[in-house]
Amino acid sequence: MKLAPTIVILGSLLTAGSIQAKWSRIPIIKEKPVNTISGPASNALLDSSSGIGRADSILSSDITASSTVSAGKSFVLINLGKPVLISSSSFVNDGIEGRATLSASADKNGWAVLEEKVFSAADRTVEFKFAGMQAKFVKLELALSKGGIIRSLQFFGAATDKGYAVKQSADGKGGKPADLINGLGGARVVYAAPKPANGLDTAITYNKFAFPESDEKYRTIIYDFGQLRILNEFASVHSPRPVRFEVFAFDNLPEKEDWRGRMAFDPSDFGNVAPVAVAEDTRGTGTLKAKPAKAVKTRYLALRWEPEFNPPDFQCTGAAEGNVVNIVTTNTVIVTNADGTKTVVTVTVGDAHGAGAATSNVTPENAGQMIAQGTATSSDTTVVVTQTFAAGVDPTAPGATPISSTTTTGTSTVTVTTQSDGTVVTTSESRTVDTTTGTVVTTAVTETKAPDGTTTTTVNQTSTDANGNTTTTADGTNTTTSTTNTTTTNGDGNLAGGSSPSPSGNGSTSANVTNTISTAATSP
């Protein structure tokens, strides 16, 4: 009979151990569906509505934006801008009760009912799932016995974030606000604890988490943006419970291999950094925003919710806002220069999350950020080709030959230049990052082939440490050592941000006032 207390103690120890156990990394998904009716890449417009206040908020990328709905009948009709394949939809419910009908049409004349839902005020999320349908117009009709608020209306289908690159301004202040978690920002969930009750695949694909009842104090999601991002504000839509919300940023995520050889994260590492933003929903309204003291520059972001009490389940969606200057897709741009030459820039956006890091000009503030950005660049398959054609040559003509061509893929750049005497100079440049010190090593191999067939090869290597100190060697011999920067700004718990150049890689070419730019081809 004395075994019972022992069993209880052992059970308690096992429970405590599981709470503190390291988390296993979630595999990165290549493509993530994006909401068809909001975000910088959306063509959707509000066509008409009735009985809905602040109906424009339905198209907002701000997940906390709300629209009021009174008891009775109401509707909102959205023009998607072009025929789009849709297969699911949802909205967040704040207190409304009744029936919702979702319909679609190609021309606003004939309507097909996709699904009807009867729900109560206790249903936090109302979801529609149906067979995929091509539609240009969608309509949400509500017949309510109790009014309230709806927010975060979403439509998912064939549209994903593959083939896009997001560009921010140098200081993160230019452009327009956009949600870089729930849109084209490249964010991928790499850790979620405890395990979501609504299924891991569904949770990480749509960034909608339903955490189960748990002894754990926090509900945590860690994101990898794929490259450095500059973030200005954070938001949460969650179960209407009092909750404390904390945001953490990591210069380089402190992961280690577990006994199975898989990458793992120790939640005790949160004790080594201070949150970059904190907010509390003391009244349990189900929404909040958190503003950092200054812009946050990071690749890895963690959102943590601490509910006041342990509900049967805790639903939440997080957001991170940053200003976006441009959304880049596969694109060809032709620039006519002042001297009559033409420059053709072709960008083919890769399939890595956060694609576009290959030509990003972000300047990391410390070794950790340098490593994070270096690994992002090396994994990016975005290809940027820049060709220059002599004056009078039509670049679009069959057989047109450039006088110089540069191709950049990930950390490698190859430049081929043909000189007037027929000499061909080929320079191959590659970059690697020391994962211990953050030092960037750039190796350039130059091959010069003369018209008589004579070939000369030279090798130059440049090392730049985290402080900006540069060492250059030629053909294996140290020839020059210089200090380009002796003052650095460290992240101080990853709080620094908003002061460095931002992602580029959009294939655009800067030209002076006498240059002209034309777009030769664009893919949607």
Side-chain angles (χ1 to χ4, degrees):
M1 298 298 292
K2 293 183 179 181
L3 290 176
T6 303
I7 294 173
V8 171
I9 292 173
L10 287 173
S12 300
L13 290 174
L14 288 172
T15 301
S18 66
I19 292 174
Q20 298 301 322
K22 293 182 179 180
W23 303 338
S24 294
R25 184 184 246 264
I26 298 169
I28 293 288
I29 58 174
K30 281 291 185 181
E31 296 182 59
K32 189 175 75 171
V34 294
N35 185 10
T36 300
I37 67 169
S38 72
S42 174
N43 297 311
L45 297 171
L46 181 65
D47 184 283
S48 59
S49 66
S50 176
I52 297 180
R54 299 191 299 272
D56 287 342
S57 297
I58 286 175
L59 301 181
S60 174
S61 59
D62 178 359
I63 63 172
T64 67
S66 62
S67 299
T68 57
V69 190
S70 302
K73 292 186 177 181
S74 58
F75 79 89
V76 59
L77 196 160
I78 299 169
N79 182 346
L80 300 178
K82 60 181 180 180
V84 174
L85 178 66
I86 54 175
S87 57
S88 66
S89 178
S90 67
F91 64 83
V92 174
N93 171 23
D94 274 347
I96 68 174
E97 188 169 287
R99 184 180 72 251
T101 304
L102 192 66
S103 305
S105 173
D107 53 10
K108 286 200 301 184
N109 290 321
W111 290 91
V113 175
L114 301 175
E115 191 176 13
E116 286 189 349
K117 283 279 186 173
V118 175
F119 56 92
S120 72
D123 293 319
R124 181 59 170 165
T125 302
V126 179
E127 296 185 342
F128 305 89
K129 292 185 179 180
F130 43 87
M133 178 178 177
Q134 195 90 356
K136 185 178 179 181
F137 299 92
V138 289
K139 180 167 59 176
L140 175 64
E141 296 175 281
L142 299 171
L144 304 179
S145 59
K146 181 180 178 182
I149 289 174
I150 65 171
R151 67 180 91 237
S152 192
L153 178 62
Q154 297 180 315
F155 286 86
F156 294 104
T160 71
D161 61 357
K162 182 179 179 180
Y164 289 89
V166 172
K167 181 179 179 180
Q168 294 182 285
S169 64
D171 58 4
K173 296 179 180 178
K176 297 181 178 180
D179 182 358
L180 297 180
I181 284 181
N182 296 284
L184 302 177
R188 294 293 186 271
V189 177
V190 289
Y191 293 97
K195 186 178 180 179
N198 59 331
L200 188 58
D201 289 344
T202 298
I204 66 174
T205 300
Y206 298 100
N207 197 39
K208 286 181 173 292
F209 292 82
F211 289 109
E213 184 173 356
S214 171
D215 291 331
E216 295 193 31
K217 183 178 181 180
Y218 300 102
R219 311 296 185 266
T220 307
I221 308 170
I222 301 179
Y223 299 91
D224 176 1
F225 285 101
Q227 63 174 287
L228 294 183
R229 295 296 190 201
I230 301 175
L231 307 171
N232 304 314
E233 190 174 54
F234 309 96
S236 167
V237 172
H238 49 269
S239 295
R241 312 277 198 280
V243 65
R244 177 180 171 85
F245 179 66
E246 297 179 332
V247 181
F248 293 83
F250 293 92
D251 287 333
N252 197 27
L253 199 61
E255 298 174 287
K256 294 181 180 178
E257 287 190 0
D258 61 15
W259 62 275
R260 296 167 296 184
R262 301 176 183 176
M263 298 305 295
F265 178 84
D266 189 340
S268 64
D269 283 326
F270 283 111
N272 301 324
V273 293
V276 297
V278 177
E280 291 191 41
D281 177 9
T282 57
R283 296 188 295 118
T285 61
T287 64
L288 56 76
K289 288 189 175 183
K291 188 82 172 179
K294 56 182 175 179
V296 176
K297 180 165 61 177
T298 189
R299 173 177 171 176
Y300 302 98
L301 189 77
L303 305 182
R304 304 193 88 183
W305 290 262
E306 182 186 354
E308 186 178 75
F309 58 91
N310 196 358
D313 75 334
F314 184 79
Q315 299 181 32
C316 59
T317 294
E321 181 187 283
N323 289 339
V324 171
V325 173
N326 198 8
I327 299 292
V328 183
T329 61
T330 297
N331 191 24
T332 297
V333 176
I334 300 176
V335 179
T336 302
N337 302 307
D339 60 0
T341 61
K342 286 184 171 63
T343 300
V344 180
V345 181
T346 300
V347 179
T348 304
V349 179
D351 60 359
H353 68 290
T359 52
S360 173
N361 294 320
V362 168
T363 302
E365 296 175 335
N366 53 55
Q369 289 184 356
M370 191 174 292
I371 293 169
Q373 191 70 332
T375 56
T377 303
S378 62
S379 65
D380 184 20
T381 57
T382 296
V383 179
V384 181
V385 179
T386 304
Q387 297 176 306
T388 301
F389 293 82
V393 175
D394 181 2
T396 63
T401 303
I403 55 178
S404 68
S405 178
T406 300
T407 302
T408 300
T409 306
T411 57
S412 301
T413 300
V414 177
T415 301
V416 180
T417 303
T418 303
Q419 300 177 354
S420 58
D421 63 353
T423 299
V424 178
V425 180
T426 303
T427 301
S428 301
E429 184 178 284
S430 61
R431 299 187 306 281
T432 59
V433 180
D434 188 314
T435 57
T436 302
T437 63
T439 299
V440 179
V441 179
T442 303
T443 303
V445 179
T446 301
E447 181 184 83
T448 303
K449 188 173 184 179
D452 61 3
T454 303
T455 301
T456 304
T457 302
T458 61
V459 180
N460 289 281
Q461 191 172 82
T462 301
S463 299
T464 305
D465 64 21
N467 294 325
N469 300 317
T470 301
T471 302
T472 303
T473 60
D475 291 325
T477 303
N478 191 339
T479 57
T480 306
T481 301
S482 61
T483 300
T484 58
N485 180 21
T486 57
T487 304
T488 60
T489 302
N490 291 323
D492 186 19
N494 245 323
L495 287 171
S499 60
S500 69
S502 65
S504 61
N506 64 333
S508 62
T509 301
S510 298
N512 59 39
V513 293
T514 59
N515 291 352
T516 59
I517 302 176
S518 60
T519 301
T522 303
S523 69

